[in-house]
Amino acid sequence: MKKHNFSAGPCILPQEVLQEASQAILNFDDLDLSLIEISHRSKNFVAVMDEAVALVKELLEVPSGYSVLFLQGGASLQFVMVAFNLMKNEGGKAAYTNTGTWAANAITEAKRLGEVLVVGSSEEDNYNHIPKGYTIPSNVDYFHCTSNNTIFGTQMKEFPKTDGTLMVCDMSSDIFSRKINVSDFDLIYAGAQKNMGPAGATLVIVKDEILGKTGRNIPAYLNYATHIKKESMFNTPPVFPVYGSMLTLRWLKGIGGIEVIEKVNQAKADLIYNEIDRNSKFVGTAAKEDRSNMNACFLPVDGADTAKFDEMWKAAGVSGINGHRSVGGYRASMYNALPLESVQVLVEVMQAFEKL
Ligand SMILES: *Cc1c(COP(=O)(O)O)cnc(C)c1O
């Protein structure tokens, strides 16, 4: 029987996507060839890329003036590319919030190219909340934030107004999980493997007019303009991850799109957080108002028999809820493809554990 997969990433994908993708590995489009052994310039694969881009635009209602790219290198390469493309060559300066491990890594990369002002940080509290009430200086090249902190289970419920400063966001772990207003952002990026598809593809949504203004000599691969011009085919694209992402987005559209999945995600989050708050054996780690609807982190109370709990959830077919080492305890990741029933199963195990 299929596990209840709470993995933080790479994570659960819809079963029908896995089925169709495995079929395409053997025989794609009735070509009697595999998806991964045909030219990326064949009309069959170009159609996949085109549909993937079109689905992103449709599902997120991307306005005109933005380009949608499928790149490689993960969100981690975007930490570098964002700085290369947006930080002025002379006197470059950017503002970042430091809300978790990934945000801190983004800051490290940006510092190689210019000055970084950390305008809000929750580092001293082991990233248990989202900093608020900070001001974004107007003399910076851009502002960067992380919408969902996968490791610490916090999520920005609203985004600051930047007053003309470019707004950049790492949405790796909550893209397509809730409605966002793309026009509030100048650049959004996300590694595929948390909510969009198999690892290996990275989604970038960038406002065209912000590019080419830094005076910096940017290596071709790192330059967004290169990929826009070549429609994500500057070099061989990650054909399978792009195909898997396309199928997952097709699935999302088929079930009713963002509006529908946002409600399901809220129901899943309500279910687990109500149990965490009610259950005397567990305590949540994130500030309540900042709790992530994607990753719920919780610790056992002192003296709880965690060996027993671990045995119980494994026996129930639950997988992947061990917390990240920097928080400890447990983390239930509830990405789009995780059914509500899986959360129900976990909650029932938590209840049975409390009664022991
Ligand atoms: C997982 C994650 C990353 C790192 O993604 P890679 O694709 O592995 O580089 C960056 N940011 C956030 C918010 C993440 O969850």
Side-chain angles (χ1 to χ4, degrees):
M1 202 194 76
K2 192 74 186 167
K3 294 268 168 67
H4 299 289
N5 185 0
F6 289 86
S7 174
C11 67
I12 186 168
L13 291 171
Q15 194 61 23
E16 62 197 73
V17 166
L18 299 179
Q19 237 133 30
E20 197 165 344
S22 60
Q23 186 51 45
I25 289 288
L26 296 171
N27 179 5
F28 176 56
D29 265 2
D30 286 327
L31 295 170
D32 292 321
L33 293 166
S34 170
L35 168 79
I36 58 171
E37 60 177 7
I38 60 168
S39 168
H40 57 289
R41 305 206 182 274
S42 65
K43 73 173 183 354
N44 303 73
F45 185 76
V46 170
V48 169
M49 182 66 91
D50 288 349
E51 185 175 347
V53 169
L55 282 164
V56 171
K57 289 184 174 168
E58 182 181 346
L59 287 162
L60 294 178
E61 297 175 43
V62 178
S64 65
Y66 285 77
S67 293
V68 172
L69 304 172
F70 280 88
L71 306 180
Q72 302 183 65
S76 297
L77 185 60
Q78 292 312 306
F79 301 161
V80 180
M81 284 179 69
V82 162
F84 260 100
N85 284 266
L86 301 183
M87 187 91 90
K88 293 240 162 45
N89 194 34
E90 308 248 331
K93 205 196 259 192
Y96 277 68
T97 50
N98 181 6
T99 55
T101 308
W102 299 118
N105 289 356
I107 289 168
T108 300
E109 297 301 338
K111 277 185 177 166
R112 298 181 204 278
L113 298 188
E115 191 185 334
V116 171
L117 307 171
V118 177
V119 294
S121 174
S122 50
E123 186 181 8
E124 288 189 354
D125 300 309
N126 200 29
Y127 299 118
N128 68 1
H129 67 279
I130 298 286
K132 294 170 204 83
Y134 49 84
T135 38
I136 300 165
S138 56
N139 64 343
V140 293
D141 299 332
Y142 62 94
F143 167 72
H144 179 284
C145 59
T146 310
S147 59
N148 186 73
N149 298 282
T150 325
I151 293 175
F152 299 91
T154 61
Q155 186 174 34
M156 295 174 76
K157 302 295 171 179
E158 48 191 62
F159 295 92
K161 295 269 170 284
T162 57
D163 238 354
T165 300
L166 301 186
M167 174 81 174
V168 179
C169 189
D170 175 0
M171 294 195 187
S172 291
S173 54
D174 67 355
I175 189 112
F176 300 114
S177 74
R178 58 172 170 171
K179 189 169 163 44
I180 51 157
N181 209 347
V182 173
S183 60
D184 291 343
F185 300 87
D186 295 283
L187 195 154
I188 293 167
Y189 63 87
Q193 70 275 15
K194 311 260 172 51
N195 227 355
M196 190 175 74
T202 313
L203 175 66
V204 175
I205 303 171
V206 56
K207 196 174 197 175
D208 299 323
E209 68 180 36
I210 71 170
L211 299 173
K213 297 187 171 161
T214 62
R216 190 181 289 285
N217 187 8
I218 309 172
Y221 192 91
L222 300 187
N223 194 336
Y224 292 119
T226 304
H227 300 286
I228 293 171
K229 191 160 159 234
K230 299 285 186 177
E231 301 185 320
S232 300
M233 299 261 199
F234 167 64
N235 66 331
T236 315
V239 291
F240 184 75
V242 170
Y243 180 69
S245 299
M246 185 277 278
L247 290 180
T248 307
L249 297 175
R250 246 192 215 168
W251 165 84
L252 180 56
K253 182 182 168 181
I255 63 167
I258 307 271
E259 205 180 312
V260 167
I261 206 71
E262 182 167 14
K263 291 201 182 96
V264 177
N265 288 333
Q266 189 62 51
K268 290 186 288 186
D270 289 345
L271 191 55
I272 191 89
Y273 286 120
N274 284 341
E275 183 57 25
I276 290 168
D277 291 340
R278 191 207 59 75
N279 196 307
S280 60
K281 291 280 166 78
F282 299 103
V283 48
T285 63
K288 281 193 184 174
E289 72 274 16
D290 301 326
R291 281 172 161 175
S292 165
N293 281 10
M294 296 283 97
N295 317 92
C297 298
F298 53 103
L299 298 172
V301 295
D302 283 347
D305 182 356
T306 54
K308 180 70 190 162
F309 180 58
D310 294 348
E311 193 185 294
M312 288 171 72
W313 58 260
K314 282 174 193 163
V318 167
S319 168
I321 64 162
N322 286 318
H324 190 276
R325 63 190 176 280
S326 45
V327 183
Y330 300 98
R331 169 174 52 168
S333 296
M334 303 172 290
Y335 298 114
N336 284 354
L338 185 86
L340 183 69
E341 296 74 59
S342 290
V343 183
Q344 190 63 49
V345 167
L346 176 57
V347 162
E348 279 161 19
V349 173
M350 291 165 76
Q351 289 170 350
F353 176 66
E354 187 192 27
K355 290 204 187 91
L356 287 183

